[in-house]
Amino acid sequence: MAAAIDQLGTPFSWGGGTPSGPTTGVGRGAHTKGFDCSGLTLYAWSKAGIRLGHYTGTQFRQGRRVTLGELRKGDLVFFGGGTGDPTHVGLNLGGGVMIHAPKTGDVVRRTPFLTSTYYRPLYRGAVRPG
């Protein structure tokens, strides 16, 4: 969690982020150094020695599924995508708050997801990597 928190304010960059930190992305992120959502989570978990793929759908399948009642700090929380792969991932900070890289034009930030009228209906589940 500390690694992700240290990135608060880092720009969103589509395709950005590696285990080493923020990078220039691709497409819409080609001119911005930063993280996309899965880039931020793979970076944070790499600091704990866990390697994650750089795609939200892949991360959704990497680790053990946990219920909302089992959520711990650091668990990955997933949103959107209907019946396909989730389209967004954040890192649970506890208390219904996540840290995430939301979208182009935004920055890494904390967001309450359990009480959010946007994120709560899109919640797809959680995974504990490792």
Side-chain angles (χ1 to χ4, degrees):
M1 278 187 354
I5 290 169
D6 285 346
Q7 298 303 316
L8 284 167
T10 300
F12 180 93
S13 179
W14 187 263
T18 69
S20 300
T23 63
T24 302
V26 298
R28 294 177 286 181
H31 302 291
T32 305
K33 185 175 180 180
F35 291 102
D36 66 8
C37 64
S38 60
L40 177 66
T41 54
L42 79 81
Y43 167 74
W45 271 97
S46 76
K47 300 308 172 201
I50 304 295
R51 185 182 176 117
L52 297 175
H54 194 165
Y55 172 62
T56 302
T58 302
Q59 291 183 7
F60 194 54
R61 293 182 284 279
Q62 290 184 284
R64 182 174 74 83
R65 295 280 174 96
V66 294
T67 66
L68 273 175
E70 297 172 313
L71 269 182
R72 288 189 203 160
K73 293 177 179 180
D75 287 344
L76 301 178
V77 288
F78 295 87
F79 306 88
T83 58
D85 285 341
T87 54
H88 189 62
V89 61
L91 189 75
N92 181 46
L93 294 178
V97 176
M98 68 175 162
I99 187 167
H100 66 136
K103 62 186 179 201
T104 300
D106 210 334
V107 297
V108 173
R109 65 177 58 246
R110 290 180 179 99
T111 298
F113 66 93
L114 286 180
T115 58
S116 166
T117 57
Y118 179 77
Y119 285 105
R120 184 64 180 108
L122 297 174
Y123 181 75
R124 288 283 303 281
V127 168
R128 185 166 301 141

